[in-house]
Amino acid sequence: MTVTSGTTGKGKWIPRILSDFIPIKATSNAFRQRSFPRLQPMQRGFQLLGTSRVDDGHGGPPRAPLTAFENNWTFSLAATESATPLDGYMIDTVHTSIYVHFLFALRERDLGWLKTTYCTFLVDAFAYFEKHWPEMIHDLANGTINEDLDLPAAVRENLTRYLSPDPVRAEEVRRECEKGQIGIIKRLWPNMVCVAAVDNIGVRTRLMETFAKGFSVFSEIYMGSEGVYGYNMDHLQTGPEEYVLAITDGVFEFIQEEIDKPNPKTVFADEVELGRCYELVITQNSGLYRYRLGDVVRITGFYNNLPKITVAYRTGMALDLFGTKVDQGTVSDAVTSALTDISDCRKLRHYCVAESILVLGLPGLPVKKCESDDIAHYVFFFEMLAIRGEEEKFPAIDLQQLAQLIDDGIHSRHGAYRKDRDANKIGRPRVYLARSGAFAKLKAFIVKNSTAHDAQFKMPKKLRTREMAEVMCASILRY
């Protein structure tokens, strides 16, 4: 049984057949090889995965996040594909796991690819690397593993057998790290050709301009705990990533945009219309029958009559004041457009939004300034990239102007919002600037209080609980 992340709702236990991972991996590898013919058939890579323990199920089926099963199953069959030995995928502590993955990857200059789950985890991993590369270089030079790491004795012993002192490579790594993080992946592994991670927070472009400079960051597969929904056949594409429907991995139905009805009509893959949005429904061989995923996709084209899809939004993340149901795709477009008009959307680290009723009266929230503040509205929290060396110094942004531009963006894109806004039923959004690290605190809170694991964590765009809102309100820096 795999468990969903729980970051966009309550975590659910989903049945999966482990042998399904083999054809999935083979298919995605074939598409990757087609896009990057320079990759050698047996060229090893940097598989950066946080792990978690597989529960024995207490007499039932084993239970864990999907990544844990991938590690225990896939890597036991193909351990030679990754620079990290199998024991490195059996570490429960996320930062210890990251350290070990980096240590073994740094040993091999000729790695051909880097793969992880989500861009959020990739960002966190390289932030950790930026702080801890001196210790890794020491271990690389001496053939050791940092004694301060929380490693079981047996795992440490098994991993140490693969290590030997390499002062030459250690010095090479030191020189590159001292140059900074821009383009660090290409400089550490000059024969690497691709970086694979699901962009769940809209940072692909930023990554390709910072530590992943020189690469096309792409997602190999559109999948979740419930199954595989699509394969990326063009790893070099720009803009929103398109996936070809994984028609051999399940039976798919599509709910047309009127998704709030109790028994909505569905259509099959050969009945979808170009440009329309649908919620995905899957029936798969592990036991799910006509299961609503909550993912809404847009039909962007066809490949040999199979629909090509992009992910639009999740139904559970829609903002809902008075039944307006503003989807996150609309919100994201409005935020990106607003930041582009007054600043630079690449300076945005994270944002989230909540209905005003959720944050009402919370400590840290500014006292209302006027009577119009009593009107229900949406509350945005932004964490911007701090100016280097200045933790609480950010690019100058007029938050009132930003709020107005976001309001205008949603108003022009969403008919129901426009109607309620024009009738003064909904007030103008409020925008608050959060301190550096605010979303790291939100992540820590969610991981601690849900079924989410670091490797599968998806930063929510909508705050769903008052407790989550408390974390953000406590981090307000400016308004």
Side-chain angles (χ1 to χ4, degrees), residues 28-89:
S28 63
N29 283 354
F31 289 139
R32 184 179 65 188
Q33 189 66 43
R34 188 176 72 173
S35 294
F36 304 101
R38 281 180 49 204
L39 272 177
Q40 300 301 311
M42 294 300 291
Q43 190 170 9
R44 285 149 66 89
F46 183 2
Q47 184 91 336
L48 182 59
L49 288 179
T51 56
S52 61
R53 188 181 302 277
V54 176
D55 190 324
D56 63 11
H58 305 289
R63 303 181 299 180
L66 180 62
T67 51
F69 286 119
E70 285 187 287
N71 296 341
N72 285 323
W73 179 261
T74 306
F75 286 99
S76 63
L77 295 177
T80 57
E81 199 175 278
S82 172
T84 307
L86 184 59
D87 287 276
Y89 293 94

Side-chain angles (χ1 to χ4, degrees), residues 321-322 324 375-378 417 420-421 423-428:
L321 286 174
F322 313 113
T324 53
I375 303 174
H377 56 274
Y378 297 124
Y417 179 88
D420 285 348
R421 187 75 179 91
N424 208 31
K425 193 174 181 181
I426 295 177
R428 195 184 75 171

Side-chain angles (χ1 to χ4, degrees), residues 100-389:
V100 169
H101 286 316
F102 266 99
L103 177 60
F104 279 92
L106 290 171
R107 293 173 68 242
E108 301 190 38
R109 190 175 188 273
D110 294 326
L111 296 182
W113 48 269
L114 189 158
K115 179 181 177 182
T116 188
T117 48
Y118 294 104
C119 283
T120 44
F121 190 65
L122 186 65
V123 170
D124 290 347
F126 272 87
Y128 180 84
F129 173 67
E130 187 174 17
K131 293 180 180 179
H132 295 279
W133 63 259
E135 299 100 292
M136 297 178 190
I137 288 174
H138 178 273
D139 284 341
L140 187 59
N142 294 282
T144 57
I145 300 178
N146 193 329
E147 290 295 332
D148 293 334
L149 293 181
D150 181 21
L151 270 177
V155 172
R156 181 183 291 274
E157 180 181 354
N158 290 340
L159 290 174
T160 303
R161 292 173 183 169
Y162 293 93
L163 298 174
S164 58
D166 192 346
V168 175
R169 174 61 174 161
E171 182 57 32
E172 180 184 15
V173 172
R174 181 191 302 278
R175 288 196 303 268
E176 298 303 333
C177 290
E178 288 175 346
K179 296 176 184 177
Q181 289 283 293
I182 303 298
I184 188 68
I185 297 177
K186 176 62 75 174
R187 289 187 281 110
L188 290 176
W189 299 283
N191 294 316
M192 190 171 284
V193 299
C194 59
V195 176
V198 177
D199 185 12
N200 57 328
I201 53 174
V203 295
R204 280 179 68 212
T205 301
R206 191 201 311 163
L207 297 188
M208 291 186 285
E209 294 174 350
T210 53
F211 58 80
K213 188 174 183 178
F215 294 98
S216 173
V217 178
F218 64 91
S219 168
E220 291 186 307
I221 309 174
Y222 172 32
M223 68 179 297
S225 298
E226 299 86 353
V228 174
Y229 323 131
Y231 291 97
N232 183 351
M233 297 180 65
D234 181 7
H235 297 152
L236 301 176
Q237 62 185 296
T238 58
E241 292 184 289
E242 291 182 323
Y243 304 90
V244 176
L245 191 68
I247 201 71
T248 60
D249 292 276
V251 176
F252 292 92
E253 297 174 74
F254 298 79
I255 299 175
Q256 301 184 54
E257 286 188 271
E258 297 174 347
I259 57 180
D260 292 329
K261 292 183 178 180
N263 294 298
K265 178 185 176 182
T266 66
V267 296
F268 289 106
D270 61 337
E271 300 174 294
V272 296
E273 298 176 21
L274 183 65
R276 292 200 63 171
C277 288
Y278 302 85
E279 182 185 350
L280 279 179
V281 179
I282 186 172
T283 297
Q284 40 93 307
N285 64 350
S286 297
L288 289 184
Y289 176 71
R290 305 193 80 192
Y291 182 85
R292 293 181 67 165
L293 293 173
D295 284 8
V296 176
V297 300
R298 179 173 286 107
I299 308 301
T300 57
F302 296 89
Y303 177 83
N304 291 341
N305 295 324
L306 289 178
K308 294 168 69 175
I309 58 178
T310 59
V311 183
Y313 59 91
R314 282 191 59 81
T315 57
M317 289 288 100
L319 301 178
D320 190 8
L321 286 174
F322 313 113
T324 53
K325 296 287 186 182
V326 181
D327 64 84
Q328 285 297 336
T330 298
V331 175
S332 178
D333 289 345
V335 167
T336 300
S337 176
L339 283 172
T340 301
D341 284 350
I342 65 171
S343 178
D344 186 343
C345 61
R346 292 173 297 181
K347 295 176 182 176
L348 174 66
R349 187 188 298 276
H350 291 299
Y351 81 87
C352 64
V353 59
E355 292 97 351
S356 58
I357 189 66
L358 192 71
V359 303
L360 186 65
L362 287 178
L365 195 71
V367 178
K368 67 177 183 177
K369 296 181 178 180
C370 58
E371 290 304 314
S372 63
D373 287 348
D374 288 329
I375 303 174
H377 56 274
Y378 297 124
V379 178
F380 286 81
F381 299 91
F382 281 73
E383 182 179 335
M384 309 300 290
L385 292 171
I387 296 173
R388 193 168 184 83

Side-chain angles (χ1 to χ4, degrees), residues 386-400:
I387 296 173
R388 193 168 184 83
E390 302 285 346
E391 184 176 347
E392 296 295 356
K393 189 174 181 180
F394 303 94
I397 294 179
D398 185 333
L399 298 182
Q400 298 299 320

